[in-house]
Amino acid sequence: MNNWQRAVLIMQRPINLKKRKRLPIAIQATLFETLADLLGNGFSFQQAFQFAVDVEGPAFQSLQPVLVRLAAGDELSTALRPYIAVDLYYQFLIAETHGELRHTLTQAGQLMRARAEQARQIRRLLQYPCLLLVLLLGTLGLVKSAILPSLDAGSSVSGTIPPWQWIGGVSIVILGISLLGLGLKVKHLPIRRRYHWLARLPLVGPLIKNYCGYYLSLNAGMLLTGGLGIRGICEVSQQFQPKALIYQQGQVVERALLSGASLMTIIQNDRLLPDELALLVGKESPTEQLSQELLYFATLQYERLIRQLNRLISWIQPVMFGVIALVVVGTYMSLLLPMYQSMGEILK
């Protein structure tokens, strides 16, 4: 039984979602980076994993079952299957089949590390604006509950809420409910359809497109390295679990090829795939050269994705301060204007 036959048998095993114990992003980053370094220094999978569990402390103790699976002869991707995302599992499985696991672990660790660092950066950037917002809302509640009632008691101005406040409040509630419903609907879409929908959004769209370009180019490059053609890649992808992105993408590409469309046209018409990918395919390079170009292109897409994420994060504080400015204006309109009216009534 060759590597691909064994890999296909592994792919066909169902994933039990009830037993999934997804590791936190920061722990995944540390684990993948440590394994990649140890594998590069001559450790076996089992030795590297044992070292990581022993050295990293209590956070890694939940991974003891992985050691049991590795000792029983399972591959690393199979042993980690309950602890990582489905698409990441298939990425590791393909990398193992073609001897690229160390490189893939390094890139996955870097990506997870960047995600964890960006999450910390987002929390840090939100601390000061959120504190200002809380103080402002606290001041708003204090004035509303303590100061305005005493002014209203000495004036003839009605304490009813102005129509514009009713309209604004109802609009915010309707908008919040609509966004929540839309988010739940998008969350339950198949992953490819979800990405297609998100790719239309102005800020999130480029991120989704770059991630899909990175993920699909990397896997296609590794599969081409194994000697598979485009049709072979599509056939292999159909052995994956239906909820995996690579399965759904392979299904779409195979149907389009069977209908007579060229691969270059398919890529150009797919919102999830970058235009540069069509140029690489359109050159009709030999398979070995194309596989290397796709792997290098995946690295470029990864670097572009990280830069875009950092650029998007840099806009968080300006947007939050803009929200605070709107709250200040709303506070002025809802509190200060009635106060001026009440004071005017008192002075008459």
Side-chain angles (χ1 to χ4, degrees), residues 7 21 25 43-44 47 57 91 114 128 179 191 203 217 227 237 243 250 254 259 267 284 300 303 317 340 344:
K21 309 169 186 175
I25 297 299
F43 284 65
S44 67
Q47 292 170 338
Q91 188 171 335
Y128 181 60
L179 290 176
I191 187 168
L203 294 178
S217 299
S237 69
K243 60 179 171 292
E254 185 174 26
S259 68
I267 295 173
E284 298 183 355
L300 295 180
E303 294 172 353
Q317 275 197 336
Y340 291 150

Side-chain angles (χ1 to χ4, degrees), residues 179 182 194-210 271 308-309 311-313 315 319:
L179 290 176
L182 183 60
R194 186 194 316 160
Y195 283 169
H196 259 275
W197 190 90
L198 292 173
R200 301 173 185 172
L201 303 180
L203 294 178
V204 181
L207 296 177
I208 295 296
K209 190 170 184 177
N210 275 325
R271 187 181 288 109
Q308 286 183 329
L309 284 170
R311 193 179 305 121
L312 189 61
I313 289 173
W315 280 95
V319 170

Side-chain angles (χ1 to χ4, degrees), residues 11-55:
M11 292 173 193
Q12 292 174 339
R13 298 175 186 171
I15 296 177
N16 190 344
L17 295 176
K18 295 182 179 180
K19 296 183 179 180
R20 294 184 67 79
K21 309 169 186 175
R22 185 79 60 84
L23 293 174
I25 297 299
I27 293 181
Q28 289 190 46
T30 302
L31 176 63
F32 299 155
E33 290 172 345
T34 302
L35 291 178
D37 289 341
L38 293 175
L39 291 175
N41 284 293
F43 284 65
S44 67
F45 291 139
Q46 188 175 356
Q47 292 170 338
F49 213 95
Q50 183 69 65
F51 181 88
V53 171
D54 291 341
V55 170

Side-chain angles (χ1 to χ4, degrees), residues 77-88:
S77 60
T78 305
L80 280 175
R81 190 173 187 170
Y83 301 91
I84 58 178
V86 174
D87 288 325
L88 187 58

Side-chain angles (χ1 to χ4, degrees), residues 234-282:
C234 293
E235 291 175 2
V236 167
S237 69
Q238 297 313 293
Q239 305 297 329
F240 292 12
Q241 294 295 317
K243 60 179 171 292
L245 174 61
I246 195 169
Y247 171 90
Q248 297 175 18
Q249 187 69 31
Q251 194 174 50
V252 170
V253 172
E254 185 174 26
R255 288 175 181 172
L257 290 173
L258 292 175
S259 68
S262 67
L263 183 59
M264 188 172 179
T265 303
I266 296 170
I267 295 173
Q268 290 173 337
N269 294 333
D270 195 329
R271 187 181 288 109
L272 297 182
L273 299 178
D275 297 333
E276 297 90 338
L277 195 57
L279 296 177
L280 292 177
V281 173

